[in-house]
Amino acid sequence: MSSRLSHFTDRLVTLAKRAVSDEPSPAVKKGDGGYADWVIVAIHGLREYLDLPYRRLLDVLHEMQGIIKKMDLKPSELPDFTTVCARKQQLKMSVWRVLLRLSADLHDTGEVQAIDATGFDRHSASHHYANRTDYTIKSVKTTALVDCETSIVLDIHCSTRQPHDTHVGRQVLTRNLSHLQTVTADKGYDWDDLRQELREADIRPVIKHREFSPLDVAHNARHDDDIYHQRSVVESVFFALKQRYGDTLRARTWFGEFRELVLKAAVRNVEVAI
């Protein structure tokens, strides 16, 4: 009987190969070829799943011949941990986003989706490093679009600034219109232009109005409370992500932290699927 780790690795390797190209390269090429992108993606996914530092991860994998065989590697062919770290930064953000989308496609989504935001703490940097790199922002604002029936993450938006929820919400929702049926959100996403755009795409918005007038109160009274309160699923997903994979981002650069967040969501989607 196969272990959960074995099932997870099978799914992860398959998705990693599809995320980088239609026809994946051999795992490793001697000489200048180096390691295939899908191998690097798979190793990073295993790091999140096993919650190990890079150096420790490669030591553990060296003793897991069955797992590394799924990546078409031998123990002697495993990359150095410095290679794994460097290659993560070189891979484009689009690769990690495709991985997230493919991981979401493992699930049959329901009729209601929800959107909300939270903050993930950035790794505490030394004063010398902070002064040298202008490392002053303490958290990454993370907006997630979640399916309420399966609790899987459909999309993520990250920012080191504090953009308004309505504009981030519009960006996330409009690039996922084909995957939406009914969208629920709190008053932070109260924007008539956003509601209208969703309706034009034949999507039902259940977004609370900020109550500035009796008309706003009337609009809110007409909402289906059962659907609206499903937005709490997003909060549950955020809690699960932070509890399972940590609430502090380990990458030092902002673009590395964005990749880390998308990868956490993709790994959770795969883990839920198995």
Side-chain angles (χ1 to χ4, degrees):
M1 181 177 177
S2 299
S3 65
R4 286 179 59 86
L5 175 59
S6 178
H7 285 305
F8 174 83
T9 307
D10 284 333
R11 291 287 184 92
L12 179 65
V13 168
T14 299
L15 297 185
K17 288 179 177 180
R18 292 174 59 192
V20 299
S21 67
D22 294 330
E23 297 183 4
S25 304
V28 61
K29 292 181 180 180
K30 304 299 181 182
D32 296 332
Y35 294 91
D37 289 343
W38 65 265
V39 172
I40 302 301
V41 172
I43 291 176
H44 279 284
L46 284 168
R47 190 192 73 83
E48 289 291 346
Y49 182 79
L50 297 172
D51 191 25
L52 292 172
Y54 290 110
R55 194 190 299 263
R56 175 65 173 161
L57 172 69
L58 272 299
D59 285 344
V60 170
L61 286 179
H62 194 275
E63 304 301 325
M64 294 182 173
Q65 296 190 27
I67 297 300
I68 62 175
K69 186 177 180 181
K70 295 177 183 295
M71 295 185 285
D72 299 332
L73 294 173
K74 300 176 183 177
S76 60
E77 294 176 325
L78 282 170
D80 187 78
F81 77 95
T82 57
T83 300
V84 176
C85 296
R87 288 287 298 280
K88 183 181 182 180
Q89 306 298 335
Q90 295 169 5
L91 289 173
K92 294 181 179 179
M93 185 63 168
S94 58
V95 170
W96 306 101
R97 287 205 171 278
V98 171
L99 181 69
L100 176 58
R101 169 50 55 198
L102 292 173
S103 70
D105 289 342
L106 295 173
H107 305 262
D108 294 325
T109 55
E111 297 181 355
V112 181
Q113 291 75 44
I115 189 170
D116 206 349
T118 190
F120 278 81
D121 292 335
R122 304 181 77 189
H123 190 280
S124 180
S126 67
H127 289 296
H128 173 73
Y129 182 87
N131 292 333
R132 182 165 56 86
T133 60
D134 194 27
Y135 193 98
T136 56
I137 299 171
K138 302 300 183 183
S139 65
V140 174
K141 182 175 181 179
T142 306
T143 302
L145 176 64
V146 171
D147 180 68
C148 294
E149 182 173 321
T150 60
S151 296
I152 58 102
V153 181
L154 299 173
D155 200 358
I156 273 186
H157 179 280
C158 311
S159 175
T160 54
R161 305 299 175 183
Q162 295 296 320
H164 198 278
D165 285 341
T166 53
H167 296 284
V168 174
R170 184 177 191 178
Q171 181 179 340
V172 173
L173 293 172
T174 53
R175 70 185 179 211
N176 290 279
L177 293 177
S178 61
H179 298 87
L180 305 177
Q181 296 186 51
T182 298
V183 174
T184 180
D186 62 22
K187 297 177 183 179
Y189 299 87
D190 175 21
W191 190 17
D192 287 339
D193 287 353
L194 176 58
R195 292 190 183 89
Q196 183 61 31
E197 194 165 347
L198 291 173
R199 292 191 182 102
E200 290 174 355
D202 200 26
I203 298 166
R204 179 187 177 189
V206 182
I207 303 173
K208 283 284 188 177
H209 291 254
R210 287 170 290 180
E211 297 179 350
F212 297 123
S213 68
L215 182 60
D216 295 327
V217 177
H219 280 310
N220 288 340
R222 293 171 57 191
H223 281 317
D224 185 325
D225 286 341
D226 289 338
I227 291 178
Y228 176 70
H229 290 305
Q230 288 187 50
R231 67 183 181 83
S232 62
V233 172
V234 186
E235 298 173 4
S236 299
V237 170
F238 281 139
F239 177 80
L241 279 171
K242 292 180 178 181
Q243 185 179 54
R244 173 67 175 84
Y245 307 109
D247 59 357
T248 300
L249 303 175
R250 299 179 184 180
R252 288 296 182 90
T253 61
W254 60 266
F255 51 87
E257 291 162 351
F258 292 178
R259 286 159 171 74
E260 185 177 342
L261 280 166
V262 174
L263 179 60
K264 286 179 187 292
V267 168
R268 182 182 182 276
N269 287 350
V270 176
E271 189 170 6
V272 170
I274 64 172

